[in-house]
């Protein structure tokens, strides 16, 4: 009986103390997170130029280099999947700008066709399934050559003929596909765009 009373007494004393400690710990974490969020924002905008003093009261200016932001987004995306395309993120953005393409299109097709170059024909540098059907394999001498050729082809043979969306491109790029291709490419494009 004394043991039960002793255990009950310990329980009634320690339980409220434990609850109070948890409440204070949660308040501490909340305070820490509010300080960290400013640091995360600063890290996420590390390529942003700031003016120390605004030009006029109430006005401030933030300059973001859109090209660098897109390159960073692609490099991070490729890095997540350990893709060899990571070091060519800048060339993909350059080619997209040169040919007026959406910069997300080539990475999204590469994800659909080869899981970002994880499954490609040996020594082909062809992550896009470009010109690969039956026993035929289109090979490139390097990733930059592939990026340039495929971007130019998408611009001239697709974009200029009004085939801009993945669902429109699919009808010619992979005509035997039932629709999963376009849905998957669109999904990946949306995920890349959400990171910018």
């Amino acid at each position: 009986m004394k043991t039960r009373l002793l255990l009950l007494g310990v329980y009634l004393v320690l339980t409220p103390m434990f609850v109070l400690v948890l409440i204070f710990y949660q308040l501490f974490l909340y305070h820490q997170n509010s300080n960290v969020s400013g640091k995360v924002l600063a890290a996420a905008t590390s390529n942003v130029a700031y003016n120390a003093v605004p030009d006029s009261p109430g006005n401030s200016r933030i300059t973001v280099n859109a090209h660098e932001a897109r390159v960073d987004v692609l490099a991070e995306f490729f890095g997540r999947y350990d893709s060899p395309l990571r070091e060519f993120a800048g060339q993909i953005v350059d080619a997209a700008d040169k040919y007026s393409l959406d910069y997300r299109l080539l990475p999204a097709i590469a994800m659909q066709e080869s899981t970002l170059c994880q499954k490609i024909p040996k020594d082909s540098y062809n992550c896009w399934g470009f010109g690969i059907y039956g026993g035929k394999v289109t090979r490139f001498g390097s990733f930059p050559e592939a990026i340039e050729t495929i971007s130019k082809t998408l611009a001239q043979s697709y974009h200029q003929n009004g085939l801009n969306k993945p669902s429109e491109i699919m009808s010619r790029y992979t005509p035997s596909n039932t629709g999963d291709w376009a849905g998957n490419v669109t999904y990946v494009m949306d995920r890349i765009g959400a990171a910018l």
Side-chain angles (χ1 to χ4, degrees):
M1 180 74 171
K2 288 183 181 183
T3 305
R4 287 185 184 176
L5 285 176
L6 180 64
L7 288 175
L8 181 62
V10 169
Y11 174 77
L12 291 175
V13 170
L14 291 181
T15 301
M17 288 175 51
F18 181 71
V19 169
L20 284 174
V21 168
L22 284 178
I23 291 170
F24 283 115
Y25 182 68
Q26 289 296 321
L27 289 172
F28 170 76
L29 289 178
Y30 176 77
H31 178 71
Q32 290 296 98
N33 285 340
S34 65
N35 289 339
V36 169
S37 66
K39 293 176 186 172
V40 170
L41 178 59
T45 58
S46 62
N47 290 333
V48 177
Y50 296 95
N51 280 339
V53 180
D55 294 337
S56 61
N59 291 332
S60 61
R61 180 178 51 188
I62 298 175
T63 305
V64 176
N65 183 324
H67 181 273
E68 288 180 17
R70 291 180 293 155
V71 170
D72 289 347
V73 165
L74 288 186
E76 182 180 328
F77 174 69
F78 295 142
R80 253 185 269 144
Y81 296 95
D82 197 28
S83 172
L85 292 176
R86 184 177 188 167
E87 66 182 273
F88 303 102
Q91 290 174 320
I92 290 172
V93 171
D94 290 342
D97 290 348
K98 178 179 176 181
Y99 294 110
S100 300
L101 298 172
D102 187 321
Y103 80 101
R104 304 168 301 162
L105 182 58
L106 243 59
I109 292 173
M111 175 61 95
Q112 170 62 24
E113 293 291 337
S114 67
T115 316
L116 295 175
C117 306
Q118 302 300 325
K119 302 171 189 171
I120 63 173
K122 186 175 167 92
D123 299 325
S124 70
Y125 297 97
N126 189 344
C127 305
W128 298 270
F130 183 82
I132 298 176
Y133 53 89
K136 183 179 185 231
V137 175
T138 300
R139 296 182 186 280
F140 300 99
S142 65
F143 286 123
E145 178 189 343
I147 292 164
E148 174 66 21
T149 302
I150 296 167
S151 296
K152 184 176 181 180
T153 301
L154 285 170
Q156 293 176 349
S157 298
Y158 294 80
H159 188 66
Q160 289 180 357
N161 291 316
L163 305 175
N164 300 311
K165 297 177 186 173
S167 57
E168 299 163 341
I169 292 169
M170 178 183 73
S171 65
R172 193 162 173 190
Y173 197 91
T174 176
S176 62
N177 196 281
T178 60
D180 291 344
W181 188 92
N184 293 341
V185 169
T186 300
Y187 173 77
V188 173
M189 288 177 73
D190 290 345
R191 287 198 53 204
I192 293 170
L196 189 58

